Amino acid sequence: MQISTTPSTTAIEDERLAEILANPGFGVHFTDHMVTIEWTPDAGWHGARVTPYGPLTLDPATAVLHYAQETFEGMKAYRHGDGSIWTFRPEENAARMVRSSRRLAFPELPVDDFVQAVDALVTIDERWVPDPEGEKSLYLRPFMIATEKFLGVRPAQHVTFMVIASPAGAYFKGGVKPVTLWLTTEYTRAGRGGMGAAKTGGNYASSLVAQQEATGHGCDQVVFLDGQEGKYVEELGGMNMYFVYDDGHIVTPATGTILEGITRASIIELAGKLGHQVEERRFSIDEWRDGVTSGAIKEVFACGTAAVVTPVGSLKWDGGEVPAPASTDLTMKIRQALVDVQYGRAEDTFGWMHKVC
Ligand SMILES: Cc1ncc(COP(=O)(O)O)c(C=O)c1O
């Protein structure tokens, strides 16, 4: 794919950039450039370009604003000790966007074009990738929106794919600590035949009220159960879940109505290599409660690009509570192993890292 480049003439000054990278927060500062690729039925994907970062002008009748035909991805670029910059399994994000696109009746952006677009943005804005100390990174947000000016419920005939980037600080300030969870019994995020496996804005819009409920009960994150029986653990608002038994075997909820996390898939491989048997199956909330209470479940953890891996502490719901599991040993071992590969401190035996520049 040919990508044209119009460099920014107002790129951030070194001094201000250093201030931002010292304390980037999350999702508040954006780099100097963005990537855009457009699609129409006649021309296919075309017009790939890197341009200065800036606002979009959208007609008020633009389809995405009304019918939410949208997909996105979340991934990171990591600076290694030698100054080189790498992404983690970017072709998996590209493949997931293809799956989301099918569910959202979008055209499919080829995996190689997705990776090339991300690489182009990271390369031109490479000075925005923080030094590795303190688990900082450059968060990358590829997304696809229905940009046809049309009010009507049908797949848009003009689609825009973009990539923007934002420096990110460590998810945990002052060290990893267990997240406390709220079990919502009122709201679900997915149902059979729905969009649970797609990374689309609507899923996150529908999770907000449940997350508010969690926060209102003093918990960090919300846990969703399946929509049909209200019995099986699905995932958190933005992370997948794992349960570690005292005999070493690990259970994670099966895919279908959950987001197929790339961290989740990587942990299945990594845990296998560490000698743990991993079961992907339906896992009921009763198994969680009884397992932790009896001590059969030693650890519970959640995973995703943002936090990598986080221990899970107590679980609360209306009228009940399960205490924090006894240990976080394997959780922290898996976390360290993944982070070390991402930051180039351990050998990448799985071939997960992709060198950008
Ligand atoms: C709902 C949901 N589940 C799971 C995940 C974890 O996915 P990944 O490991 O690809 O970041 C995310 C993260 O984006 C998410 O939003």
Side-chain angles (χ1 to χ4, degrees):
M1 181 180 56
Q2 220 33 47
I3 307 182
S4 71
T5 301
T6 309
S8 171
T9 52
T10 56
I12 193 163
E13 286 173 8
D14 288 342
E15 210 174 310
R16 177 67 190 129
L17 180 58
E19 267 172 32
I20 291 173
L21 296 188
N23 191 13
F26 184 81
V28 285
H29 302 285
F30 295 91
T31 65
D32 293 315
H33 297 88
M34 58 190 191
V35 174
T36 306
I37 313 176
E38 288 174 79
W39 179 91
T40 53
D42 294 343
W45 290 106
H46 64 278
R49 55 196 184 272
V50 172
T51 57
Y53 184 93
L56 305 179
T57 303
L58 293 177
D59 190 281
T62 301
V64 65
L65 302 177
H66 304 273
Y67 310 110
Q69 193 191 4
E70 187 263 2
T71 68
F72 67 99
E73 272 304 320
M75 52 198 289
K76 287 175 169 177
Y78 307 88
R79 193 180 289 280
H80 286 186
D82 65 359
S84 59
I85 299 170
W86 302 70
T87 49
F88 181 73
R89 312 189 76 181
E91 65 293 337
E92 294 298 324
N93 292 90
R96 187 167 66 187
M97 180 165 261
V98 167
R99 296 196 297 276
S100 299
S101 296
R102 285 185 193 135
R103 182 62 185 81
L104 271 290
F106 266 138
E108 295 171 21
L109 180 69
V111 166
D112 288 350
D113 292 350
F114 177 105
V115 175
Q116 198 189 338
V118 169
D119 284 1
L121 183 62
V122 174
T123 303
I124 196 163
D125 283 337
E126 67 88 15
R127 62 196 191 106
W128 284 84
V129 183
D131 287 334
E133 284 74 41
E135 284 187 19
K136 288 178 190 165
S137 59
L138 183 67
Y139 185 77
L140 301 162
R141 169 52 56 84
F143 63 99
M144 196 181 286
I145 53 175
T147 34
E148 184 180 359
K149 175 186 160 187
F150 174 71
L151 288 187
V153 183
R154 62 149 170 75
Q157 302 298 294
H158 184 188
V159 173
T160 303
F161 169 82
M162 300 191 70
V163 191
I164 57 173
S166 171
Y171 186 86
F172 295 102
K173 305 257 172 329
V176 177
K177 75 172 188 6
V179 290
T180 56
L181 302 184
W182 173 257
L183 178 71
T184 178
T185 47
E186 182 170 5
Y187 302 108
T188 61
R189 75 175 279 291
R192 194 163 56 84
M195 303 197 299
K199 200 159 173 67
T200 181
N203 286 340
Y204 297 83
S206 85
S207 76
L208 296 176
V209 67
Q211 179 59 40
Q212 262 180 344
E213 195 182 274
T215 310
H217 286 89
C219 298
D220 299 314
Q221 304 254 339
V222 62
V223 185
F224 288 102
L225 297 178
D226 73 282
Q228 232 170 336
E229 296 178 64
K231 189 172 162 190
Y232 298 101
V233 177
E234 298 234 301
E235 60 184 322
L236 308 188
M239 289 191 237
N240 296 119
M241 296 212 64
Y242 274 92
F243 301 87
V244 183
Y245 279 83
D246 56 1
D247 67 359
H249 89 278
I250 302 176
V251 179
T252 190
T255 56
T257 49
I258 62 171
L259 190 80
E260 295 171 2
I262 291 153
T263 319
R264 174 189 177 281
S266 307
I267 289 171
I268 291 174
E269 288 188 55
L270 189 63
K273 198 173 156 202
L274 294 172
H276 295 269
Q277 184 214 336
V278 182
E279 284 178 45
E280 294 180 76
R281 63 168 173 85
R282 296 217 289 188
F283 183 84
S284 75
I285 191 67
D286 293 346
E287 286 181 86
W288 183 344
R289 185 195 55 220
D290 297 346
V292 172
T293 308
S294 71
I297 293 178
K298 273 200 332 195
E299 303 184 36
V300 181
F301 66 88
C303 65
T305 297
V308 191
V309 169
T310 170
V312 164
S314 59
L315 169 72
K316 288 186 199 164
W317 63 91
D318 221 352
E321 179 166 354
V322 178
S327 167
T328 61
D329 291 352
L330 182 65
T331 302
M332 295 309 286
K333 187 171 167 187
I334 288 176
R335 183 175 206 284
Q336 196 61 47
L338 269 176
V339 167
D340 283 347
V341 169
Q342 289 170 337
Y343 286 96
R345 297 187 295 249
E347 196 193 341
D348 175 20
T349 52
F350 293 100
W352 284 337
M353 300 307 289
H354 165 82
K355 188 170 185 183
V356 179
C357 58

